[in-house]
Every structure is written in C-alpha cells, then in structure tokens.
Amino acid sequence: MLKVHIRPHWEISFNNDAPLDTATLLGLLLAIQDHGSIAAAAKAAGLSYRYAWGVLREAEELFGEPLLETGRGRGTRLTMLAQKLVWADRRIAARLSPTLDSLASELETELGKVRMRGTGLRTIRMDASHGFAVAALTGYLDKLELPVELRYRTSLDAVAALARRECDLAGFHVPEGEFEAATARRYLRWLDPERHCLVHICGRQQGLLVAPGNPLGIEGLADLVNTRLRFVNRQAGSGTRMLLEMMLDRAGIDGEAINGWNSAEFTHSAVAAYIASGMADVGIGMRTAAEQFKLGFIPLLRERYFFALHLDALEDSLMAQLLAVLRQPGYHRLVDALPGYDAERTGSIESIQEAFSERPA
C-alpha cells in the first residue's frame, strides 16, 4: 500500500548566508535535553562526538550566544535560546502536521488511482475535525491496508461535505449535557435523520490547558477575563471554538474582553505547544494535548465524537470493513490509552434520534 509522508522543515540563516542545518541541530538539542550530556546525545542521534560539537559550535557562532550550559553535578542543559528553538520546532509540527497529513492522504489517493487504474479498488473519503482518536484510527487502518483518504477540516465543514456527498464519513463532536441540543441543531442543518446515521468513535474530556502546576491559580472560565492572563484560542468555525462561545455566553462573558481572544491555533496540540513554550497562560483543548506537553488540565465537560454517514453506505462492503475495525479490541485499546478518552461505545451505530437525548427542534 502506497504511503506518503510529509514532514515540516525549517531553516535559519543570516545575511543570505548558507542556512543552518536545523534538523540535525534540533535532534541534538532534544537528545541533550533527554540525556544531559553531549556524548550521550551524539550517540543517541547516531553522530560522532566531533561532528555533534561542530554542529553546536556552528549554531552558537551564528546566533552569537551559547546554546548549552554546564554545571557540576547538573550535567549539560539547554540555554533559554536552545529551549526556544526546540519549542519553535514543536509548535511548527503541532500547527502544520494535520494539514500535511491531509495533503499526504490526498496524494496517496491520487497516486494510487494511477497505480490501481482498472483494478476497481476504491477509497473511503473521511472528512473530520482533528482529534487524537481519529489520528489513532488512520494509523491503525494503515497497518490493515484499508484505503482511506483523510481530510482534516472543521466539524461543520465535514458534515456539510457529507450532505453534498463529497465524503463518505464526516467526523464531528458534540458536548454532553446542557450544550448538546444547541450544538446538535447546528449539525442537523446538514444531517437528515431519514438519510444519515452515526457511528460512535469515543468519549473525551475538554477543558482548560494551563502551565504545569497551574502557577496562576486558574480555576475556570471566569478567570479568563483577567487581563494579566494570556489566552490562546481555537480558530473560528472549529467545533471547540463554537463550544467555548456557547459556554462564555451562558456565563455572561464577552469573548472580546479576553486577552488573546483573536490569537488562534488550529489543533489541540498547537494550543498546548503555544502554552508550553511560554507564549500564553491558558487555552482550551483536550486532556490528551495537556498530557502530551506536560501541562495542567482543568476539566470543563465531556464530549462524544461521531462519524456521520449515509444509511445506504452501511450496505457497502468497504465501509463494512471499516466499521468492523472500529469494533475491534485493538482499536479500543488505542482509544482507551489516550488520556481523557474512552472507548466505552466505540463502533456502535446509532440513529440521530438515539444519539441525542434531547432531539433538537
């Protein structure tokens, strides 16, 4: 099965000089952070000690300041500049990876059409808001060589694409409790109970992401109006942004009064990376993202994540294979291993009426 991998790459240069070998440098810095010595880091990176020193010296000459500091009994540590470089790389990956994964999936499909021309093989088109359970699913499907074309987009865009038959599965999330009906109403502009059904993917926790140890003592949404706090938002149109706006409206909080309201990231991981790098104090996202970047997490509510599909797709053999995968214990273990996620009902198929406890008018 053909696979395309696209990875972010960035370079640094001054005065049009040859760019710095950033990939090797960042790998070394990360290894030094993990191992506490240049020798151990060079070995872990598969480099000679001499070459590793050369890369570090070249970078320090370029920046005009050290990247490492040493102390008796403390080993070798990264300076503030080196930490900023590492966090810049993590932010780039967190922001761009979903877009690059979508592009890679599209390229796989297009190249696969050429290779498999005349064979009659098909691909399931999956449009979904970005989430860790979806990412785990695509990796699981790759190992099973089940052909899926994934496009990450907002929940609203995904269900609209399903209604236009531009995709076969549309991933979206709905909060449990008081905001369920209002959220479902937005999706039911495109989802028809007579033509569509839902497959449950996971339950997951949504909340506030804060610095480790929560040094600013943030307790909930009411604290966001503190102008000393720097907030990082999700992009307009995303399901998480839509949910946050409903919660703030219920609490009588004007989003525009929040410092950083218009500073937006496109994924939960990007929000977490932004906070972990020290550029913000609080954001909204999944518990998994908080764990990924060793942040604190203040739970706000629980959500259910669904795939919507046309009822007639249930009779399709390829779709039946994918739905069977969703019920496999192997995939359930992957979901349960994600912090804040659960696979209690993963793979169950429900009508729209069954899925929502309060049917929106």
Side-chain angles (χ1 to χ4, degrees), residues 65-343:
E65 60 179 277
L67 295 174
L68 306 175
E69 56 184 31
T70 57
R72 179 167 302 199
R74 295 186 307 173
T76 302
R77 300 190 301 180
L78 303 187
T79 64
M80 182 63 70
L81 172 60
Q83 292 177 41
K84 288 292 184 182
L85 290 172
V86 169
W87 280 113
D89 188 62
R90 296 192 74 179
R91 282 191 62 220
I92 289 169
R95 178 179 288 185
L96 296 182
S97 289
T99 301
L100 297 180
D101 289 346
S102 295
L103 178 57
S105 184
E106 291 176 26
L107 291 175
E108 289 166 6
T109 300
E110 292 304 312
L111 294 173
K113 288 177 182 176
V114 176
R115 293 180 68 243
M116 302 300 179
R117 190 165 42 206
T119 64
L121 293 178
R122 296 182 299 104
T123 298
I124 291 180
R125 301 165 301 166
M126 181 190 300
D127 285 12
S129 66
H130 184 261
F132 296 96
V134 174
L137 176 61
T138 56
Y140 195 71
L141 294 174
D142 285 345
K143 292 180 180 179
L144 298 175
E145 298 192 353
L146 196 65
V148 171
E149 178 185 352
L150 171 65
R151 291 188 300 177
Y152 282 124
R153 57 201 311 180
T154 69
S155 292
L156 290 172
D157 286 341
V159 294
L162 180 73
R164 297 190 297 266
R165 289 202 178 260
E166 294 173 1
C167 66
D168 304 303
L169 289 169
F172 68 101
H173 49 100
V174 177
E176 294 183 343
E178 62 177 317
F179 301 107
E180 178 184 281
T183 304
R185 265 195 299 272
R186 301 193 184 196
Y187 296 125
L188 288 184
R189 292 166 55 191
W190 293 280
L191 296 179
D192 181 353
E194 301 300 320
R195 296 189 299 123
H196 300 113
C197 64
L198 306 177
V199 55
H200 188 90
I201 302 302
C202 63
R204 63 184 197 177
Q205 284 184 312
Q206 187 96 255
L208 295 178
L209 282 58
V210 298
N214 193 12
L216 298 178
I218 298 168
E219 297 181 354
L221 294 176
D223 294 314
L224 300 184
V225 296
N226 183 340
T227 55
R228 291 181 299 138
L229 295 181
R230 298 165 299 164
F231 180 71
V232 56
N233 209 343
R234 287 294 304 278
Q235 80 277 21
S238 69
T240 297
R241 171 75 167 256
M242 182 175 70
L243 173 61
L244 175 62
E245 290 171 349
M246 286 192 292
M247 289 191 290
L248 292 177
D249 184 64
R250 177 63 60 88
I253 298 173
D254 180 5
E256 294 294 334
I258 296 173
N259 179 23
W261 178 256
N262 295 315
S263 174
E265 292 288 344
F266 286 81
T267 68
H268 300 286
S269 292
V271 168
Y274 203 87
I275 297 166
S277 65
M279 298 181 68
D281 303 306
V282 58
I284 186 166
M286 309 305 306
R287 180 184 287 276
T288 313
E291 295 276 347
Q292 181 183 15
F293 287 87
K294 298 180 173 59
L295 298 176
F297 181 79
I298 302 166
L300 293 175
L301 49 75
R302 187 177 182 274
E303 293 182 321
R304 292 178 292 162
Y305 195 104
F306 296 99
F307 280 153
L309 66 158
H310 286 271
L311 284 167
D312 55 21
L314 295 174
E315 302 173 7
D316 179 80
S317 60
L318 187 59
M319 182 65 74
Q321 291 180 58
L322 188 147
L323 295 176
V325 168
L326 291 173
R327 294 189 285 271
Q328 289 184 7
Y331 178 59
H332 289 198
R333 284 192 292 270
L334 289 177
V335 173
D336 282 328
L338 296 169
Y341 277 71
D342 71 75

Side-chain angles (χ1 to χ4, degrees), residues 13-24:
S13 61
F14 288 95
N15 302 321
N16 295 318
D17 293 337
L20 185 69
D21 183 3
T22 312
T24 301

